[in-house]
Amino acid sequence: MTPTLIWILVALVAIGLYLSWTAGRLDRLHARIDATRAGLDAQLLRRASVAQELATSGVLDPAASIVLYEAAHAARQAEEEHREVAESDLSQALRAVFAEPAQVEAVREAPGGEAAAHELTEAVRRVPMARRFHNDAVGAARRLRQHRKVRWFRLAGHAPFPMAFEMDDEPPADLVDRAA
């Protein structure tokens, strides 16, 4: 073997190892996206469940109960392509129901209301964090997938292009301020 052929083989092995490492990194990012999406789904389900439980507890006035129950039910039953809108509607319903400090106080003063308000506060605080973790993982995967080497060598395989979860996740200010 000639020295030139040896150097060509070494270069090809190095390139192959680099591409393999990049494909593994991309695979780990896709696994991280799946894990963060599961966490986000769990937090969204918890928020909708707590809101539904609070709406049916009799602690809220009837109009607020109906608004909150319908929004929470819609969020729990939404198809994947309509989920972002349904979750945003639930956020808006929560802000509308708890827009006044008097409503928050009425909930807290009712029997079992303090625990329900605390649980709802924790649920609405965790959703933005879970969404941020998911969207950060999606951003990292997207940045890596935009590199030429990933596109040219098709290192992403048949994995779908990762999509961020965009929704209105601002919590009701009076509910969160009272807990802090």
Side-chain angles (χ1 to χ4, degrees), residues 2-178:
T2 65
T4 305
L5 188 57
I6 292 174
W7 282 112
I8 290 173
L9 287 174
V10 167
L12 287 176
V13 167
I15 290 170
L17 286 174
Y18 178 71
L19 291 176
S20 175
W21 176 80
T22 303
R25 180 173 165 222
L26 189 58
D27 186 51
R28 287 187 303 275
L29 283 172
H30 282 269
R32 186 172 138 208
I33 288 171
D34 291 342
T36 57
R37 181 56 189 242
L40 175 61
D41 287 341
Q43 293 304 321
L44 291 172
L45 181 63
R46 179 173 183 242
R47 180 181 75 154
S49 297
V50 170
Q52 225 173 5
E53 184 179 312
L54 186 62
T56 59
S57 68
V59 174
L60 300 172
D61 65 82
S65 292
I66 291 171
V67 168
L68 193 56
Y69 181 82
E70 287 180 355
H73 181 71
R76 288 183 72 175
Q77 301 298 321
E79 297 290 328
E80 191 61 36
E81 58 270 1
H82 303 294
R83 182 115 188 252
E84 293 172 353
V85 174
E87 295 294 345
S88 293
D89 290 345
L90 177 57
S91 295
Q92 292 169 1
L94 284 166
R95 283 196 308 273
V97 168
F98 295 106
E100 301 174 6
Q103 182 74 357
V104 176
E105 284 304 317
V107 169
R108 290 187 188 282
E109 291 171 1
E114 186 68 36
H118 178 72
E119 193 173 354
L120 182 62
T121 301
E122 290 302 311
V124 298
R125 280 184 175 172
R126 290 179 179 166
V127 167
M129 287 187 291
R131 189 175 75 87
R132 195 172 312 121
F133 291 148
H134 173 70
N135 288 348
D136 287 347
V138 167
R142 281 181 165 187
R143 285 188 296 276
L144 184 58
R145 286 183 71 154
Q146 289 175 349
H147 289 189
R148 275 185 245 144
K149 65 180 174 269
V150 173
R151 289 192 322 261
W152 287 351
F153 292 102
R154 302 181 195 275
L155 298 181
H158 296 289
F161 195 74
M163 300 301 290
F165 194 86
E166 297 299 332
M167 65 171 270
D168 174 10
D169 61 2
E170 184 179 338
D174 289 324
L175 184 67
V176 174
D177 288 344
R178 294 270 185 195

